Amino acid sequence: MRTYLVTGGAGFIGSNYIHYMFKKYDKDIRIINVDKLTYAGNLENLKDLEDRDNYSFVKADICDKEAIMKIFEENDIDRVVHFAAESHVDRSIKNPEVFVQTNVLGTAVMLNCAKAAWELPDGTFKEDKKFLHVSTDEVYGSLPDDDSAFFYETTPYDPHSPYSASKASSDMLVKSYMDTYKFPANITNCSNNYGPYQFPEKLIPLIINNALNGKKLPVYGDGKNVRDWLFVEDHAKAIDMVQEQGKLFETYNIGGHNEKQNIEIIHIILNTLQEMLPDGDKRKEYINESLITYVEDRKGHDRRYAIAPDKIKEAIGWYPETMFKEGIKKTIAWFFEHEEWMKNVTSGDYQKYYEDMYKDR
Ligand code: NAD
Ligand code: DAU
């Protein structure tokens, strides 16, 4: 039975990944989820797994060497899947330091502990041990509006925000371990995810939540920035496929082949909400384009992201399976069914965050 150490498993992608893995492997794997439970970590995301005897949770900071080393000492870890990070660009612009702390130093701790646990006296590594570092397409910088350019694995790094700079640094650390020690790892660089459990600071859940509550829909700049959206379960599948079928030491880009301007996304959400809400639902009266509000642009706002997921398709056979039309319906249906989840995450600190982030916009 393989044992996984998943970092950041209480967050958006991590919790979707853990659900995906238990759906796929059920009792054939064991998962230890280590998470600090920042504002973005939520154990409610994993409530249905609590009774499993092959799942456990450890509350710890990935920067805490002793706590992480203890997990490696007490368990024979076969796979590390490293999601834990500060993940929101706007927050990184306001407060960069914690991004360096968690994303760079935290990754260094994870690498060091895995290396210490897996390295043999001759400097090689125990068999079948693998570390997967989950990263982002934002490390490649920004593409021009012209839609003929794409991010490839060979595209030079050119990060612009403190978030993407910290992720680029963490990628470089992983690369350095692979180059220096032949440390058994992979890096994946993925485009924008959407789906269940996403925290409503990110565009799609924020727009869904605001629209349902008749609040303004803040569009940064001219609304024509492009992101390449991928349904989160497709990302979870890609991570598993890279770790089991990919070549060690390689980087794989993961993308949705689904470029859309932000303003298009907002129109799609408004139309889908109208379509999905039952006749007679009062919210149908105010969910319309009049909620759209153009606000001050994000500082250093990257114009366009677009992944060419050719390598992962050719090497492993992965491709984005969920069409956006279908994925956004699934996402909205999930938010309809989890009103309580949204209420809980938007109470308290979220209100303060929202006021601070949007007050000058
Ligand atoms: P998220 O913010 O929803 O979750 C991050 C999780 O990490 C939370 O559970 C949080 O509590 C935990 N965490 C933060 N700091 C920690 C620390 N010091 N120690 C332990 N745990 C800590 O993020 P997400 O959107 O799920 O992203 C997960 C990973 O995927 C990140 O590495 C991110 O860079 C990457 N990524 C995200 C996207 C996206 O669209 N969301 C796309 C590509 C890559
Ligand atoms: O590309 C992958 C990255 O995608 C991940 O690495 C990050 O962790 C993740 O947060 C995401 O970054 P973005 O900055 O692209 O995502 P966000 O949802 O914050 O914004 C998407 C686009 O929408 C971006 O162009 C900014 C714009 N936007 C965002 C918000 C929150 C708005 O216009 N209004 C908003 O209120």
Side-chain angles (χ1 to χ4, degrees), residues 86-90 135-138 163 167 190-193 198 201-204 206-207 218-221 223 225-227 229 262 266 295 298 301-302 305 353 358:
E86 287 292 335
S87 69
H88 191 37
V89 173
D90 291 329
S135 191
T136 170
D137 60 356
E138 298 201 12
Y163 162 71
K167 291 297 290 187
C190 188
S191 65
N192 286 62
N193 285 215
Q198 189 166 28
E201 63 186 353
K202 308 284 164 57
L203 182 71
I204 288 184
L206 186 143
I207 295 298
V219 182
Y220 299 169
N225 298 67
V226 170
R227 297 293 182 264
W229 295 94
N262 296 334
I266 293 172
V295 299
R298 174 183 280 173
H301 199 172
D302 286 337
Y305 301 148
Y353 162 81
Y358 292 90

Side-chain angles (χ1 to χ4, degrees), residues 173-243:
L173 271 175
V174 180
K175 280 183 202 292
S176 77
Y177 271 60
M178 295 194 283
D179 293 346
T180 308
Y181 310 111
K182 295 279 167 288
F183 178 77
N186 288 103
I187 299 172
T188 53
N189 294 90
C190 188
S191 65
N192 286 62
N193 285 215
Y194 69 98
Y197 304 108
Q198 189 166 28
F199 193 79
E201 63 186 353
K202 308 284 164 57
L203 182 71
I204 288 184
L206 186 143
I207 295 298
I208 295 172
N209 185 44
N210 281 19
L212 286 171
N213 289 293
K215 285 173 69 180
K216 290 181 177 169
L217 310 178
V219 182
Y220 299 169
D222 65 2
K224 292 187 179 160
N225 298 67
V226 170
R227 297 293 182 264
D228 172 6
W229 295 94
L230 177 71
F231 191 59
V232 63
E233 210 173 288
D234 287 346
H235 187 187
K237 181 173 180 177
I239 287 170
D240 180 43
M241 286 176 78
V242 165
Q243 206 162 36

Side-chain angles (χ1 to χ4, degrees), residues 247-297:
K247 236 170 106 185
L248 273 180
F249 315 120
E250 294 281 320
T251 287
Y252 295 90
N253 282 352
I254 304 170
H257 258 321
N258 179 43
E259 286 178 60
K260 298 222 178 317
Q261 291 183 342
N262 296 334
I263 192 69
E264 274 180 86
I265 292 286
I266 293 172
H267 284 296
I268 293 172
I269 292 174
L270 290 173
N271 293 336
T272 314
L273 284 171
Q274 277 293 343
E275 219 179 281
M276 290 177 72
L277 283 168
D279 287 342
D281 191 306
K282 285 245 168 343
R283 294 172 291 187
K284 283 186 120 164
E285 289 162 25
Y286 58 68
I287 295 180
N288 58 51
E289 287 164 16
S290 70
L291 295 175
I292 295 174
T293 315
Y294 285 86
V295 299
E296 190 194 325
D297 208 354

